[in-house]
Amino acid sequence: MPHNSKPTGKLISFEGSEGSGKSTQIIRLAAHLLKLKRDVVSVREPGGTEIGEQIRNIIVHNSKGDEMCAETELLLFTAARAQLVRQVIAPALSKGSVVLSDRYLDSSTVYQGIARNLASDPVEQINQFAIGKIMPNLTIVIDVPTEVSLARIRLRASDVPDRMERENVHFYNKVREGYLLLAKGMPERFCLIDGTKSEDEIEKKIWEAVKDRL
């Protein structure tokens, strides 16, 4: 790539409640992009780096996790994100890769800011500090009703639900409302997808949205 050309990389983030089907759709989208000979890097939050995975373990599986205050949770999530951006996402974008991220900054806005009632200003400032200038080109929100989300979590194979999966209906209602609010407020970046449709239909809608951006 010539020095003076802008990096052609794209960051596409996937958001939604637990059990919304993000992971499945990331795999399907990656397959589409690979057919077009695009270099694809898939990451998840929190995690995606050795440090990030250790932080994930603290957030999700720590035996004292239920004592964790909302502020600590926010700082841990954004710490993992800061590492992921600098170690994986920014280098991949500068090489022209398409980065597919299972969650990104909007998760903190919704989960810690809206659902855990933290003030929006510090959440926004900490988010910005963590990601620098690396904003998604497109954010796909897979929206499912809370009861669907909770039913899918219960069906998952994992023996012990993690800390986020143990949350109550009220919490997940707030998460869903938070995402709908963001999608409505920033239509130029967000694409809202009905997560109750078939996996094939969801895949088709996502691909249409991504093709427009690429």
Side-chain angles (χ1 to χ4, degrees), residues 57-80:
N57 206 35
I58 294 169
I59 295 170
V60 174
H61 300 299
N62 190 291
S63 60
K64 297 287 185 192
D66 293 332
E67 296 171 17
M68 191 183 294
C69 63
E71 290 82 356
T72 302
E73 186 181 272
L74 170 68
L75 291 167
L76 284 171
F77 270 108
T78 46

Side-chain angles (χ1 to χ4, degrees), residues 63-134:
S63 60
K64 297 287 185 192
D66 293 332
E67 296 171 17
M68 191 183 294
C69 63
E71 290 82 356
T72 302
E73 186 181 272
L74 170 68
L75 291 167
L76 284 171
F77 270 108
T78 46
R81 184 171 304 134
Q83 188 69 25
L84 183 64
V85 165
R86 284 151 189 82
Q87 196 177 328
V88 181
I89 296 176
L93 292 175
S94 67
K95 279 196 327 204
S97 305
V98 180
V99 179
L100 307 180
S101 186
D102 187 341
R103 304 201 173 285
Y104 197 54
L105 82 157
D106 302 299
S107 281
S108 289
T109 304
V110 169
Y111 276 77
Q112 286 81 47
I114 295 168
R116 299 241 191 264
N117 299 314
L118 288 179
S120 60
D121 284 356
V123 172
E124 203 173 307
Q125 285 165 2
I126 291 163
N127 251 338
Q128 285 305 326
F129 179 65
I131 66 168
K133 293 189 168 69
I134 309 287

Side-chain angles (χ1 to χ4, degrees), residues 191-205:
C191 172
L192 189 64
I193 304 277
D194 181 353
T196 63
K197 301 278 190 217
S198 75
E199 287 181 357
D200 290 349
E201 286 175 278
I202 295 169
E203 178 186 343
K204 190 164 170 274
K205 286 270 186 239

Side-chain angles (χ1 to χ4, degrees), residues 22-32 42 100:
K22 298 186 308 309
S23 311
T24 302
Q25 292 302 331
I26 286 172
I27 292 165
R28 288 177 173 224
L29 176 56
H32 278 287
S42 296
L100 307 180

